[in-house]
Amino acid sequence: MKQKAPCLDALLGLVAGLGLIALYAPLLATAALSFFQIVRVRGTLGFAPFSLDPYVALLANGEILSALSTSLVVATVSSLLALVLALMFAFYFVSARRGLGIAMQIMVFLPFLLPPIITGLSLLIAFREIDLGRGLVTIIIAHVVFIVPVVYRTVLVRLQLLGSSLTEASLDLGASRVQTLRYVVLPQMRPALISGALLAFAISFDETLITLFVAGSETTLPIRLWAMMRVGFVPEINALATLIFLCTAAITFAIGLMQRAGERV
């Protein structure tokens, strides 16, 4: 086999390094600005001394904290509901006739493939026709409709990889269908369920355009930040972004450790 030229390895490493810088430089700059604010002194720009004032101001900002709590509730509930629906759709697809399964998949994926403005407007019209007032419930319903395809695809791929041999063996050994689902199928699908739920949570937490149509008087964090952009960002926004990034990185790292521990067992 021909070995790669050293110059090619260096070029690939340079491209990868530039890509990582482009991805993480804004995050690192945001984190730095949450501790060292930019100030103007005698017509020149500089950095103020290290301070935790943005984090203190964040804890005192009731509007941002209220929007953050709403987003966390919506993302958590939506992800759990989407996970249950995705499991039901995946089990139906592998057991239904091909034509019915394809038709079901089209209905599941269509709201995600359509432009968000069309999905949001359609949901708004539907809620108005059934006389359902806009609020937390309509936001959750809209997010479930939007994120179910993401979880469904992740769960379906894992379910198809498992095949039917484990299920058939469990049933032959005397286990009921419920026991087979609980003790055989679901444990094997745990990585797909965790990754699908996390991805759904991230999409729901970040969703803005569809939420604008169905939110009513409720305010999620993306909507609050979008409204604040009209008058400029305040320092506590950098603190909030830093905390969210650190929490996300910690959760991802912990899940990676749990999955590695599960593989060793």
Side-chain angles (χ1 to χ4, degrees), residues 49-227:
F50 178 86
S51 174
L52 295 177
D53 290 343
Y55 293 88
V56 176
L58 175 62
L59 295 177
N61 194 321
E63 294 182 350
I64 293 180
L65 294 180
S66 177
L68 175 61
S69 63
T70 301
S71 291
L72 290 175
V73 170
V74 169
T76 302
V77 176
S78 300
S79 301
L80 294 176
L81 292 177
L83 191 61
V84 174
L85 291 175
L87 276 171
M88 294 172 60
F89 291 144
F91 285 126
Y92 177 79
F93 179 81
V94 297
S95 60
R97 290 187 298 177
R98 181 174 178 81
L100 294 176
I102 293 177
M104 184 271 297
Q105 280 204 123
I106 293 175
M107 290 188 292
V108 170
F109 283 117
L110 191 58
F112 186 80
L113 297 177
L114 288 173
I117 190 172
I118 301 299
T119 302
L121 183 60
S122 301
L123 289 169
L124 174 62
I125 295 173
F127 293 147
R128 186 184 62 181
E129 291 298 322
I130 63 176
D131 197 23
L132 180 60
R134 292 182 296 171
L136 193 62
V137 174
T138 56
I139 296 176
I140 293 175
I141 294 174
H143 282 209
V144 170
V145 171
F146 187 68
I147 64 179
V148 159
V150 178
V151 189
Y152 166 75
R153 186 59 186 171
T154 305
V155 171
L156 179 62
V157 170
R158 180 61 177 173
L159 185 61
Q160 290 176 328
L161 288 176
L162 290 178
S164 59
S165 58
L166 288 176
T167 303
E168 293 174 354
S170 176
L171 294 175
D172 290 341
L173 292 173
S176 65
R177 292 189 177 274
V178 175
Q179 291 174 327
T180 300
L181 175 64
R182 180 179 178 182
Y183 297 108
V184 178
V185 178
L186 291 182
Q188 295 293 325
M189 296 182 61
R190 186 177 300 150
L193 296 177
I194 294 175
S195 59
L198 287 176
L199 183 57
F201 182 92
I203 295 175
S204 175
F205 189 84
D206 186 59
E207 172 53 41
T208 305
L209 188 55
I210 295 177
T211 309
L212 283 172
F213 284 94
V214 300
S217 60
E218 294 289 340
T219 302
T220 60
L221 185 61
I223 295 178
R224 172 58 59 186
L225 297 181
W226 180 78

